Amino acid sequence: MLIGELAERAGTSTRALRYYETRGLLEARRSANGYRTYDAAELRVVREIRALLAVGFALDDIRPFVACLRAGNSSGDVCPDSVAVLRRKLAEVDAAVARLGEVRAQLSAQLSHAISSREETCKRQTC
């Protein structure tokens, strides 16, 4: 299929596909007239790339998933290198969640203090 058809089927732009190709994630052949042509398997690769990008993976993190698909696996996350990336990404998310919990607790305490200070001020004055 040509790049426009692949882009339409994958729900992305031809520019994104060319970028994925320059990053070594997508494989295209050139026809005699110089057009990029793609196997149907590349649609699965593009969908995997897009799904991983949507949840915050960087393109370099996606490489093992693409390699896993190209190795003939039904999913890009069944290979050891992909599992390692998933573990690392999960640890990053857990750390971010913990940090957000700390920030939330700090903001909650600050809000409670602000409310009680305002109530004390209003008791002494008419608010």
Side-chain angles (χ1 to χ4, degrees):
M1 78 185 86
L2 295 176
I3 193 168
E5 183 181 354
L6 179 60
E8 185 177 328
R9 285 185 178 185
T12 191
S13 67
T14 57
R15 184 176 180 179
L17 296 178
R18 285 190 293 273
Y19 181 67
Y20 301 156
E21 184 182 347
T22 63
R23 297 294 304 267
L25 295 171
L26 200 57
E27 294 178 357
R29 291 181 318 278
R30 295 290 182 149
S31 63
N33 59 6
Y35 290 167
R36 289 174 171 89
T37 59
Y38 299 91
D39 291 334
E42 294 305 296
L43 177 58
R44 205 167 106 214
V45 170
V46 174
R47 286 182 175 154
E48 182 87 1
I49 292 168
R50 306 271 303 150
L52 291 167
L53 288 172
V55 295
F57 283 81
L59 284 177
D60 287 337
D61 291 334
I62 293 171
R63 290 185 189 290
F65 296 87
V66 171
C68 192
L69 284 174
R70 292 203 191 291
N73 294 292
S74 61
S75 176
D77 59 3
V78 298
C79 296
D81 290 344
S82 302
V83 171
V85 171
L86 287 169
R87 282 190 176 121
R88 182 180 48 78
K89 193 65 170 174
L90 184 59
E92 289 173 10
V93 169
D94 287 344
V97 167
R99 176 67 183 128
L100 285 173
E102 294 168 4
V103 169
R104 187 187 189 294
Q106 185 178 7
L107 290 172
S108 180
Q110 193 172 354
L111 177 61
S112 294
H113 175 73
I115 290 170
S116 65
S117 293
R118 177 158 170 73
E119 287 173 355
E120 286 299 316
T121 302
C122 286
K123 285 179 185 177
R124 286 181 263 142
Q125 305 169 357
T126 305
C127 291

